[in-house]
Amino acid sequence: MLSTVTSLHLPPLNHTDSHTHRPNSQNLTTHLLHNFSSPLELKQLHAHLIKTNTPLTSLPLTRIAFVCSLNPSFSYAQKIFKHLENPEILAWNSCLKAFAEGKDPIDAVMLFYQLQSFHVLPDSFTLSFVLKACTRLLDVSKGRVLHGYVEKLGFQSNLFLMNMILNLYALCGEVRDARLLFDKMSQRDVVTWNIMMTQLVKRGDIKEAYDLFSRMPERSVRSWTLMISGFVQCGKPKEAISLFLEMEEAGVRPNEVTVVAVLAACADLGDLGLGRRIHEYSNQSGFSRNVRISNTLIEMYVKCGCLEDACTVFDGMKERTVVSWSAMIAGLAMHGQAEEALRLFSRMIQIGMDPNDVTFVGLLHACSHIGFVDQGREFFTSMTNDYGIVPRIEHYGCMVDLLSRAGLLQEAYEFITNMPIKPNSVVWGALLGGCKVHRNIELAEEATKHLSELDPLNDGYYVVLSNIYAEAQRWEDTARVRKLMRDRGVKKTPGWSSITVDGVIHEFVAGDEAHPQAQEIFQMWEKLVEKMKLKGYVPNTSVVLLDMEEDQKEKFLYRHSEKLALVFGLMNTGPGTPIRILKNLRVCEDCHAAFKLISAIVSREIVVRDRNRFHCFKDGSCSCRDYW
């Protein structure tokens, strides 16, 4: 066969290379050995080697495999491998690895089937490369075939292969099969446990993930980080921080991913003390250039009411992404610094950074809080016309909020009815909030009708409508709404406020008498009330929408949870220390007025983060343009 192969079209072999003074045929052979790219050229090279008495061992086996892998010349390559008495699977494995990691991983799967049709026995490396291709393709059906080969060839004890199969099942959503395999595995390492936990966390099954975590014989930093991140994602920041403290006690050093997760938990809880400590650790560990950490630090400081610290982090960043700019714009808006948020956006555009959809959410919030209706409309139009961003439900909600705050309730209602996407409860809730402020009962009833269908168990909407009726002294309607809540099993969410002192979180509910310092808190409040009344304070009992005597309403007002948290903070922190309070509901109008006066009386900065925004009280005023 070899003698019939057509020879290569070669230049005359008696030509001499002027630089090496050696016959050019050797250089040409070397060139051809590494540059053939088709089965025909390989056969011509083969013939050339025979004619020039060049040893066939000089043939590059991996290149032969590449050239012949996915075409009918596969058997020709096999003959060369056998002639050289070389384990052919080594060459095919090199080819499989490159295919699996290349742009077309399906080629690795096709080559594997080619190997099977020519009875080439795979080894553990063969299977690992094809499993990698299946994982990249998320092809669980072919993965099952490979799992069969692993069992058939006796590779069940190869933990690396078993972990790859487990990971493939998990990534493809076959969690049941993954768990079955996990439970049957005769041996597991930390990677095995982490794979299983990762997928449970992704599915939101945090309880099952934590059960596995608790049973782990050993844990890596990834194991701890997985669970901490999982708790944060599932809205359990307390559990995340508790687990992080356990991690520290176990002597495991957090990595950059851990830092991001813990900072996110601190942001959700308003735990400034731990957040600052993590910030310091991050700097000491050389993580300061990590943009994601810096972005999360901005968010943490913003949510903890430390706008200046957030600005310091932002200003110190060597590199900023659109996320950095958007986080800072949103933070300024949340803290009532709307004009500064708009100026920062101008800077962002000037340096050539294109905004994204999140940027515009922050901008619309800023316009809403400052009452810039026309500029808000311009931003809403610009995001599509200038940047090609399709508005999401959040943007529509911001526009309704903007119009409702400005008293343009009919325009807000028409805006909702003309939306190209179905309005959700947040959109209708924004209109309802505006109806309360501007006392529009008719539209409030319309908004509540939609809200009762979209979010029937949310007590907030019923309470707002009930309060609107009460303010209008429509007591029968107020009672009807309260009865409707009872009939539907809707319970009013109790208000609570929390404050962190010396690393310990203290929570208060309205009228809380269970706290060890309850009596001292009530006594100190009475003293503060006397000083406030000297400055013109009159209790706003209109916010107490209950049928009771006026003095009883005042007592009810005085025991709002945010007031109790504030007094506790004043009693247990040093003079001049800022007071930071987290509240799950909106701060009431009376508390808002009282806190302004108290900030001047005690010469303290008081920062309250409620459900809607931040209120930064200082020297008798609040950073907010308006209460709402």
Side-chain angles (χ1 to χ4, degrees), residues 53-256:
N53 249 353
T54 304
L56 295 185
T57 53
S58 59
L59 284 167
L61 304 188
T62 300
R63 191 166 185 83
I64 292 173
F66 271 110
V67 167
C68 300
S69 59
L70 299 176
N71 57 59
S73 295
F74 187 92
S75 57
Y76 176 72
Q78 277 194 299
K79 289 178 182 178
I80 294 178
F81 294 150
K82 288 177 181 176
H83 182 76
L84 296 174
E85 297 182 353
N86 197 287
E88 63 175 308
I89 194 61
L90 297 179
W92 297 124
N93 281 349
S94 296
C95 195
L96 283 167
K97 182 176 186 294
F99 284 156
E101 296 173 352
K103 63 179 182 178
D104 294 312
I106 188 64
D107 288 347
V109 178
M110 292 172 63
L111 176 55
F112 177 74
Y113 284 129
Q114 185 91 297
L115 291 171
Q116 299 315 296
S117 64
F118 282 89
H119 308 293
V120 180
L121 187 66
D123 61 13
S124 60
F125 292 103
T126 312
L127 296 171
S128 72
F129 299 140
V130 188
L131 277 168
K132 183 171 187 176
C134 290
T135 301
R136 289 186 62 197
L137 295 165
L138 294 178
D139 191 335
V140 72
S141 60
K142 292 184 175 64
R144 293 188 197 281
V145 173
L146 289 164
H147 188 182
Y149 273 104
V150 169
E151 297 285 340
K152 179 180 177 182
L153 297 172
F155 290 132
Q156 302 96 321
S157 61
N158 188 314
L159 190 53
F160 181 75
L161 284 179
M162 298 304 288
N163 282 344
M164 290 191 78
I165 296 168
L166 178 69
N167 188 48
L168 176 59
Y169 284 149
L171 285 175
C172 292
E174 304 291 334
V175 178
R176 185 177 178 182
D177 288 337
R179 186 57 192 262
L180 186 63
L181 176 60
F182 176 86
D183 292 337
K184 289 175 62 178
M185 287 173 68
S186 58
Q187 56 177 327
R188 307 183 189 107
D189 61 6
V190 69
V191 174
T192 317
W193 292 84
N194 286 346
I195 289 170
M196 200 66 237
M197 283 165 50
T198 298
Q199 297 311 313
L200 289 169
V201 167
K202 284 183 178 179
R203 289 169 61 89
D205 194 347
I206 196 71
K207 185 177 182 297
E208 188 65 25
Y210 186 68
D211 179 64
L212 284 184
F213 177 81
S214 302
R215 291 164 43 200
M216 288 182 74
E218 61 173 320
R219 298 163 181 160
S220 65
V221 65
R222 177 173 172 77
S223 314
W224 290 94
T225 302
L226 266 171
M227 278 312 309
I228 292 169
S229 300
F231 279 131
V232 174
Q233 291 164 22
C234 291
K236 297 179 180 291
K238 286 184 184 177
E239 289 83 349
I241 287 179
S242 177
L243 192 61
F244 171 72
L245 296 177
E246 280 185 44
M247 176 182 174
E248 285 190 315
E249 288 179 10
V252 181
R253 282 181 60 83
N255 61 18
E256 291 171 275

Side-chain angles (χ1 to χ4, degrees), residues 25-42:
S25 87
Q26 183 176 344
N27 291 339
L28 182 60
T29 299
T30 302
H31 173 76
L32 294 173
L33 282 170
H34 298 286
N35 288 280
F36 62 90
S37 57
S38 69
L40 176 61
E41 289 180 355
L42 170 61

Side-chain angles (χ1 to χ4, degrees), residues 2 125 214 266 275 341 351 364 472 525 616-617 622:
L2 298 177
F125 292 103
S214 302
C266 292
I351 67 165
L364 292 172
W525 174 254
C616 303
F617 303 95
C622 178

